[in-house]
Amino acid sequence: MQAVIALCHFCENHGPRVVMTCQPMRDMDLPATSLSPSTSSAPDGPTIPVAQIQRNSELSQRFREGLPLFYGDCRRSVMDTEDRCKACTSFGNGPCLLSNDHPNKTSYISSEIAFHDRVYDRVKSACLRSLSCEVSAPQKNSQQKRRETVSINSQPILISPVNCDIIFERSPDEADGNMIFGDNDNGFCFSHTFRLQDAKARGRLRLFSLNVVSNDLTLLTSHFEFLRRALTTIKEQLQGMASLTYARETSTEIRPEHGSIVCRMAQFRREIAIDTGRNLETITGNDNIWTTLHRQMMWTLRSPILSCHDQVMEGVPTQDMLVMMELDAASIVELELHHPNQHEVSMQQLSNLKQIARKLCDENEIDLDLLIKQVVTGNQVIVESADPSLCRQFLLAVSNLLPIGCLKLSTYKEYYTQESIHRFTLIGGPPNMDIPLDLDDVLVLCIISNGMIYGDENVSLRGCRIQVKRRPALLEKCPQIVGRYKKLLLDSEVVDTVLETTLRSTREFWMGKAKLFYQMQKQISQAGRTELMRFIKGINNEDFDVVSFWQEGLSKAYKDHVLATIEYPDEHSVLG
Amino acid sequence: MSDNSDVEVEDEEEYKYGLQDDSEPQDTRPTVVLMGQKRSGKTSIRKVVFQKMSPNETMFVESTARITKDTVCSSFINFETIEFPGQMCPFDHTLDPVNTFKKCGALLFIIDAQDDYTDAIRKMADYFAKAYRINSKIKFEVFVHKADGLTEENRVETKFEVYHAVKEELKELGIKDLQVTYHLTSIYDHSIFEAFSKVVQNLVRQLPTLERLLDIFNQGSNVTKSFLFDISSKIYVATDSLPVEMSIYELCCDMIDVTLDISSIYGSGEYGIPFDEHSAAVIKLKKTESWSFYSAKSIDSWHSSRLCAVRTSKSRDISNTTSPVSRRASKKYST
């Protein structure tokens, strides 16, 4: 959020003063973003006392891990020259508080005044205006209403002549509350003005305001309700602490209502020992008040950013998304699912896939059917090649036909082991691997390179030849999805981007069937296979292998949810 | 005769009675600006004079943070008070000083006489000079406040000291023809009302006419002294041309309180208003003088009905002789 939050106080000695400012600092790719040696000619080194930060073991550990100590330009360009007393001082020019938001590359720094002069000027102007000039809209107060009526009507109603002369007179508390003010020159401000009880203050109250200052009016108006609630919560907490301290300090005093005021004037004069130099720590009786406030202000600034992220993720997650969340990082890298240029990578894979389809179809159309059938039903496909990267690219290309959860990929293994039989469905290896002959449901392919050496990235299968070395028995009828995939891959008019979308939608369509099958299987446990197949529209007997294999691609979260729903049907609704 | 009628018409145009017309822009109302160091008693004065706060309660008044505006309007008084917190400079460019002081009628600077006032005087001279440069028609008034804490000699001495110090400071700033009026005030007696009355009188445009009318009334009715009061604030808008004795003014203030108090207990009319245009009161003191209060039934609305205090030298109830208003009086109280 492009805003800062400031706590301001009307100091009895010095008038309106900014007491604390919480400002986000963002990484703008400036050279001085960390403690690493700066290449800029600007004076290096932050004013933030590093010693204090390093005392915090977690932070220093992160620093050792290579994360920056803070983001953005954290140099102080303004020094506070105003007179201050204890009541209007928080951090002074000394140490301030820092919180880092590493994922968003933002540091939140709470100091007495803002680090940058433009921000400081705006906060100062907002402070003056919020405490001394701007008045919140009148709350719905019957008395107020009546007074205003009198000033308009010539006939007075139920009012003594004493009151009717002074119109628009409002008690100080009525002027407190929320308001938005500002202009393009001085920035805009959402302000919440409030009073804290203090036994030693004049009138036993001190005036404070919490201001959110930003250049963007829309930002303040669109988050009005959020800011109102956040600042009100901070205010109520402060008021609660202050009134406890107040009650403790005044408990032994004689209240002015007791007895004749005139007789006790001298006593009162003694009792009202006004002390203007009490700061927020004393008033609230909380030594950690600045840290608490820093945390609250930081979260007030940070929450809108997080809610933006939430909105991006909104919508029902697909099974692939859920599975990806459940996968460990190593598998994601292995499957090339989280590449910086993910789009390019998947386009390359699809182009390879089309090459494979074309080559196999040219040799023998049944081989393509066989390959797709083997892949989608979870039977083994073994690719042999002297070049591991070719194997890898072949298998990754083929993996686009399956949901992420169904991928059991071993891109290159020197030997075909017993473990491979059970764990993997897509296996790569050197030529002439020793594959047991009793395995009948295996498709063995051999890629013969044209001798050109490629790098790991962007390996194309264009110049290679694919030879089928061993075929499993072909069923009479292929599953429906095989036909669909075949058509898509061989159609030269389907470009890569369209192919990606159509493959994805086909996968999701069949994932839907798999989900349905899984749910029904769990709920009607005694029902047989054919009976279940009958319930689900659009699938035939030949699709059974596909549907049952693809159930493995369902996310753990979904499976748990279904099981929980079956067990406690009232508490859960079925996840879409 | 024709000349006279012309004059009357002119006067009517010149001096508008009653509340300002709604259509008239609010900005035309003169303002009284209250300034002073922190804790000099600005808010207390405002509260005591305009809001009927008891002087003792002002000890518990909160520090004023906001620039506070009050609108005071009645038949003859129609102005706005603006109070600047002592911690703020009213000439800060963000507060639009030119606009504020262009329509300023009187500038009141309050000095705490019980405190060290050297800084206050320096600041005051500076503010006066700045305000004078913006608007030379402003009436400058200094309230040497909290005089109750000083002895009789000290008061005069302090006023004298302040007078000289201000003169010196203004001389240094190069301003010579700036007239400053000084008042010794305290909220614990009537001096604050008296001083504020004088400030307000400067803003009442119809003052000379009112004085003359009261003189004529005195002569015609065998009355020794008469005031035109604003009962809500106890400010007197006008009196006859005889000098005002402080004791008489105090007596009037006390009697207004008595009248209002009794009236609020026994005098509620159909609208529940304790003192309306039909009300009148006669208070007889032990000595051979009596005071009568009349609600000056006039002009256009309730807001304009004000109190007229009349003192007669003989113990004679004048209520039947003075004005048609009193004959219609529905309530009359004697004490």
Side-chain angles (χ1 to χ4, degrees), chain A residues 393-431:
Chain A
Q393 287 308 317
F394 183 96
L395 294 173
L396 285 175
V398 167
S399 72
N400 280 291
L401 302 176
L402 280 176
I404 295 168
C406 294
L407 294 179
K408 294 170 184 174
L409 195 67
S410 157
T411 47
Y412 203 77
K413 280 255 162 75
E414 288 295 330
Y415 302 103
Y416 186 84
T417 58
Q418 198 63 28
E419 185 203 4
S420 308
I421 303 173
H422 304 293
R423 268 191 65 186
F424 303 109
T425 56
L426 304 173
I427 302 163

Side-chain angles (χ1 to χ4, degrees), chain A residues 10-16 125 128 130-136 150-162 164-170 172-173 175-177 179 193 195 202-207 256 261-262 265 268-269 272 274 276, chain B residues 19 22 26 29 38-41 43-44 46-47 49-52 56-57 59-74 85-88 92 94-95 114 148 188 230-233 260 271-275 300-303 306:
Chain A
F10 189 89
C11 174
E12 180 53 39
N13 297 318
H14 300 105
S125 145
L128 176 74
S130 68
L131 292 168
S132 291
C133 303
E134 304 295 336
V135 173
S136 167
V150 170
S151 69
I152 298 159
N153 294 344
S154 57
Q155 281 297 322
I157 306 157
L158 290 170
I159 190 156
S160 72
V162 173
C164 71
D165 273 330
I166 298 154
I167 50 174
F168 306 122
E169 168 60 27
R170 296 165 63 178
D173 288 350
D176 296 348
M179 53 210 165
T193 320
R195 276 153 218 267
R202 275 178 71 192
R204 305 197 165 192
L205 288 171
R206 282 183 194 276
L207 182 66
I261 287 174
V262 181
M265 274 322 287
F268 285 150
R269 274 181 211 275
I272 307 168
I274 291 172
T276 53
Chain B
L19 283 172
D22 282 350
Q26 296 265 313
R29 188 176 278 151
K38 65 185 168 75
R39 301 193 66 193
S40 56
T43 311
S44 304
R46 236 171 18 89
K47 297 253 177 197
V49 175
F50 298 112
Q51 290 171 33
K52 294 264 151 261
N56 291 324
E57 279 178 55
M59 291 206 79
F60 306 103
V61 164
E62 203 183 328
S63 172
T64 312
R66 288 200 172 84
I67 299 167
T68 319
K69 288 187 190 185
D70 277 342
T71 309
V72 183
C73 53
S74 63
Q87 294 89 340
M88 277 167 58
D92 193 305
T94 49
L95 303 174
Q114 298 181 17
D148 53 297
Y188 292 96
D230 174 81
I231 48 166
S232 66
S233 58
L260 282 182
Y271 295 117
I273 303 155
F275 206 86
D300 55 359
S301 73
W302 153 249
H303 292 283
R306 286 297 142 230

